Amino acid sequence: MPRGTYLHLDEGIEERFQCAPGPGGWRYVGERADGVRLDLVVDSRWRQIRVEIVTPSRWTRGGVTGPAVAWVRGAGEEATEHDAPAAGFTGESPGFLVAVARSLALAGGEQRDVRLVRFSGTTLSPLTIAERWRLADVETHETDTAPLPVERYEIADLATGEIRAVHLAGDVVVAAEGIELTELDSPPNLGSLGIS
């Protein structure tokens, strides 16, 4: 079960996380130093079946419902229901990058367009976005225990044309724009849930 720390470089905020495969999927739990928490659960096909984000002032709970996502967003006891045609959610936590990449199950050189609902800021403002994910290459790094494949994804924002790179090893983000892996207590999961 990988445990470690990501650093959000722009804000200088640490996110302590742990993630692990379960009997029917995978779970990621992260807590940032500013009080933002994420609990993300996917099923065996990497569909986001339960997502909960909590900030000091707002909370959101939701999941995939067929070809759409549905969520409840609130503050205190007040809440409103929402839905949108999308494959899943995304946000500031690296846990979302793992879930989206694995759900696409891309082969080397393959690309796919995906619609996602992005939550941002402490108010968890939702915005539907469209991205094109491409598995650009896979490099194998030698370690003390076993070779570690690291995948490089190129993610294009279809509205702006901006492209960013994400490097994944199993269910851990090794590097991404604005994200640095500063600590990892145990190796990433590679063999579970179709991670190669």
Side-chain angles (χ1 to χ4, degrees), residues 20-164:
W26 177 79
R27 184 177 184 189
Y28 176 96
V29 177
E31 183 163 0
R32 293 174 26 154
D34 61 355
V36 177
R37 298 190 318 270
L38 169 66
D39 190 346
L40 168 62
V41 179
V42 303
D43 65 11
S44 60
R45 291 168 52 193
W46 288 91
R47 293 176 300 189
Q48 300 175 26
I49 56 173
R50 192 180 84 225
V51 175
E52 181 177 54
I53 312 171
V54 179
T55 76
S57 61
R58 294 267 181 181
W59 55 267
T60 295
R61 295 184 191 98
V64 172
T65 59
V69 292
W71 70 95
V72 178
R73 178 172 169 261
E77 298 298 316
E78 297 182 9
T80 54
E81 296 182 8
H82 307 271
D83 62 77
F89 299 105
T90 190
E92 297 167 0
S93 173
F96 286 114
L97 296 173
V98 175
V100 173
R102 298 303 169 212
S103 72
L104 295 174
L106 298 176
E110 188 180 7
Q111 65 183 26
R112 189 167 306 141
D113 294 354
V114 61
R115 287 174 56 89
L116 301 164
V117 173
R118 178 179 177 85
F119 295 111
S120 58
T122 56
T123 60
L124 301 177
S125 301
L127 176 67
T128 302
I129 62 170
E131 295 180 331
R132 176 168 295 143
W133 284 62
R134 177 175 175 266
L135 179 52
D137 60 41
V138 181
E139 292 185 359
T140 301
H141 298 265
E142 295 301 323
T143 69
D144 293 340
T145 54
L148 182 67
V150 177
E151 300 161 317
R152 181 171 63 86
Y153 291 86
E154 294 174 350
I155 306 169
D157 184 321
L158 296 182
T160 65
E162 294 181 6
I163 298 175
R164 68 189 198 276

